[in-house]
């Protein structure tokens, strides 16, 4: 267990600044998940922490010790990649124990440690097999085993489950949650999978273009996104965004959007002329009687997913899209015209610069 601290970390590749001053603390035993669009610097950040890349400026500390310029092998950090490069000619036991053999530990110690790690990862039955005789999930467990055996202070995972099929990802997600509670280790985990991020994280860090947009618990980010970027990135299907104008002349409590008017019952702390964005998650949209309507919309597509349905609308008189998530049951048909209402408690407003205009 260890506390990881990043202070004003930057990284340039040539003239391009890829990491633009990142400050972050991962507490002892914390599970921190990095999310963000492709190319925003998540992998680079992990490579800086392991020492596979050197920082341009800033500091990396583990338990107060400055490791910014330490060799990767001296940092007590282990990384598991998406493509788990196992040695094809070595069996599972030798793959897991490889790092310890390299460190010239006595054979008996290595065997004991391999057995322990194999038990934790439930690959005891597979120790004699070669990687090609394993399923994807088993291979990934062996790759994790190789890093556990070194007893690192900090684990880094770079999209470790992306190569697995959907069913296996669910199983491995639980494995990783178990592993975390069992080892109590500090873990940094990069994923583009919303469910992995929401379920595994103690805290999620949302990256965008080399900077942190927001850090918080999954539900903080879901309920109180600091800006439109985070609001749109967390949650699947994504939050609906509607361009809105405050109704003149008083600008109090009423917003014009495509296809209707939304009475929000509070003033918005921006000039009435500012173009703002109303955000509402698909689960906070409902079909209502016409008197209660916020807007009129036409059903485009209905997706029945079993436990729930997704309904895609187009607001009347515009090309504004709105998505609704509902429990399954009788759904409208494509082409139907319906009245939609947004849950007043769950409406988000964003200024023209994207910042949240929280209540
Ligand atoms: P992510 O993992 O979030 O998808 P990366 O950290 O891999 O993003 O990359 C961030 C940016 O840095 C990208 O624009 C990428 O092209 C660039 N980059 C990554 N590694 C190098 C490198 N070794 N040399 C030059 N540019 C790089
Ligand atoms: Mg990456």
């Amino acid at each position: 267990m260890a506390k990881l601290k990043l202070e004003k970390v930057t990284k340039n590749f040539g003239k391009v600044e890829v990491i633009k001053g990142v400050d972050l603390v991962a507490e002892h035993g914390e599970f921190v998940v990095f999310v963000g669009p492709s190319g925003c610097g998540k992998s680079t950040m992990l490579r800086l922490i392991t020492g596979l890349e050197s920082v341009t400026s800033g500091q990396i500390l583990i338990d107060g010790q400055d490791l910014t310029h330490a060799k990767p092998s001296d940092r007590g950090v282990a990384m598991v990649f998406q493509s788990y490069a196992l040695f094809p000619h070595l069996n599972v036991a030798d793959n897991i124990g490889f790092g310890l053999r390299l460190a010239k530990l006595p054979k008996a110690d290595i065997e004991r440690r391999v057995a322990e790690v194999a038990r934790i990862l439930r690959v005891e039955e597979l120790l004699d097999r070669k990687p090609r005789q394993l399923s994807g999930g088993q291979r990934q467990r062996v790759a994790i085993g190789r890093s556990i055996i070194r007893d690192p202070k900090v684990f880094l995972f770079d999209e470790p489950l992306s190569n697995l099929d959907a069913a296996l990802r669910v199983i491995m997600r639980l494995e990783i949650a178990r592993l975390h509670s069992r080892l109590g280790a500090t873990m940094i985990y990069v994923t583009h999978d919303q469910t992995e991020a929401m379920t595994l994280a103690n805290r999620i860090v949302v990256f965008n273009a080399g900077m942190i947009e927001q850090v918080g618990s999954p539900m903080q980010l879901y309920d109180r996104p600091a800006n439109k970027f985070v609001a749109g990135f967390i949650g699947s299907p994504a939050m609906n965004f509607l361009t809105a104008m405050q109704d003149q002349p008083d600008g109090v409590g009423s917003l014009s959007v495509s296809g209707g008017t939304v009475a929000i019952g509070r003033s918005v702390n921006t000039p009435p002329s500012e173009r703002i964005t109303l955000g509402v998650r698909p689960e906070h949209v409902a079909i209502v009687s016409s008197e209660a309507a916020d807007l009129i919309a036409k059903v485009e597509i209905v997706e029945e997913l079993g436990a729930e349905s997704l309904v895609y609308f187009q607001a009347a008189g515009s090309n504004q899209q709105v998505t609704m998530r509902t429990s399954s049951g009788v759904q409208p048909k494509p082409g139907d015209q319906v009245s939609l209402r947004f849950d007043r408690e769950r409406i988000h407003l964003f200024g023209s610069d994207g910042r949240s205009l929280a209540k």
Side-chain angles (χ1 to χ4, degrees):
M1 269 217 274
K3 173 172 169 169
L4 170 70
K5 189 169 187 191
L6 307 176
E7 281 184 353
K8 299 194 177 57
V9 171
T10 73
K11 175 66 182 173
N12 296 4
F13 286 115
K15 286 198 179 115
V16 186
E17 193 175 28
V18 172
I19 302 291
K20 300 172 184 167
V22 165
D23 287 299
L24 183 72
V25 173
E27 297 293 345
H28 291 282
E30 196 176 18
F31 201 119
V32 175
V33 172
F34 287 0
V35 297
S38 185
C40 70
K42 305 179 298 292
S43 296
T44 302
M45 202 59 249
L46 295 191
R47 294 170 63 79
L48 292 173
I49 297 168
T50 54
L52 292 172
E53 297 282 357
S54 57
V55 303
T56 301
S57 68
Q59 284 190 309
I60 297 170
L61 300 104
I62 294 179
D63 284 338
Q65 193 186 351
D66 186 347
L67 297 175
T68 315
H69 303 290
K71 278 195 303 195
S73 54
D74 293 342
R75 296 187 183 206
V77 173
M79 184 144 159
V80 178
F81 300 90
Q82 174 181 346
S83 50
Y84 20 86
L86 300 177
F87 299 112
H89 57 288
L90 297 183
N91 67 19
V92 167
D94 290 341
N95 263 288
I96 293 178
F98 187 80
L100 300 187
R101 277 202 291 163
L102 215 58
K104 301 217 168 23
L105 255 68
K107 195 156 173 278
D109 287 353
I110 298 176
E111 278 173 12
R112 186 177 46 76
R113 288 285 292 145
V114 168
E116 198 178 316
V117 166
R119 187 168 42 75
I120 292 175
L121 292 168
R122 295 193 252 169
V123 293
E124 297 135 294
E125 314 297 315
L126 310 174
L127 289 174
D128 293 329
R129 292 203 203 168
K130 296 279 169 60
R132 70 185 141 75
Q133 299 166 310
L134 303 175
S135 70
Q138 291 168 337
R139 272 182 231 156
Q140 189 57 306
R141 267 183 250 179
V142 174
I144 292 170
R146 276 203 318 202
S147 58
I148 293 182
I149 202 157
R150 292 169 44 210
D151 211 6
K153 293 179 178 165
V154 179
F155 281 85
L156 308 177
F157 292 92
D158 196 355
E159 310 204 27
L161 309 185
S162 329
N163 284 349
L164 306 179
D165 65 51
L168 201 48
R169 276 211 305 271
V170 174
I171 296 169
M172 285 302 294
R173 191 174 82 214
L174 288 170
E175 294 284 339
I176 287 180
R178 272 192 205 107
L179 185 69
H180 178 247
S181 69
R182 190 154 184 172
L183 300 177
T186 309
M187 294 187 174
I188 312 277
Y189 188 100
V190 173
T191 182
H192 61 263
D193 182 306
Q194 289 280 330
T195 317
E196 278 176 33
M198 293 297 284
T199 56
L200 289 172
N202 296 126
R203 282 188 304 153
I204 296 177
V205 180
V206 182
F207 278 88
N208 183 22
M211 290 192 294
I212 294 178
E213 292 276 352
Q214 192 175 2
V215 182
S217 71
M219 288 315 287
Q220 275 168 355
L221 298 196
Y222 181 84
D223 286 334
R224 295 194 299 283
N227 54 49
K228 191 176 161 189
F229 182 86
V230 174
F233 201 82
I234 299 288
S236 175
M239 184 184 281
N240 294 296
F241 290 128
L242 292 89
T243 304
M245 290 293 287
Q246 302 186 57
D247 279 348
Q248 303 289 2
D250 55 357
V252 172
S254 182
L255 301 173
S256 294
V257 296
S258 308
T261 302
V262 184
I264 56 167
R266 67 180 175 95
S267 61
V268 184
N269 188 20
T270 52
S273 59
E274 186 176 341
R275 186 169 288 263
I276 61 180
T277 300
L278 183 155
V280 62
R281 296 199 182 278
E283 47 273 46
H284 303 137
V285 176
I287 296 178
V288 294
S289 64
S290 56
E291 308 88 75
D294 286 332
L295 58 85
I296 308 299
K298 195 165 87 179
V299 178
E300 279 197 317
I301 293 169
V302 179
E303 290 180 346
E304 304 263 17
L305 302 175
E308 60 178 20
S309 301
L310 300 176
V311 185
Y312 301 88
F313 303 95
Q314 189 158 17
S318 74
N319 54 10
Q320 172 75 56
Q321 306 287 314
V322 178
T323 306
M324 174 178 79
R325 187 208 295 266
T326 75
S327 52
S328 279
V330 183
Q331 299 301 345
K333 299 279 166 294
D336 286 359
Q337 183 127 314
V338 298
S339 302
L340 297 182
R341 186 172 174 85
F342 305 145
D343 182 342
R344 286 296 175 275
E345 297 299 310
R346 301 302 200 118
I347 285 176
H348 302 261
L349 299 177
F350 305 99
S352 54
D353 59 357
R355 77 196 183 284
S356 170
L357 305 171
K359 280 176 240 182

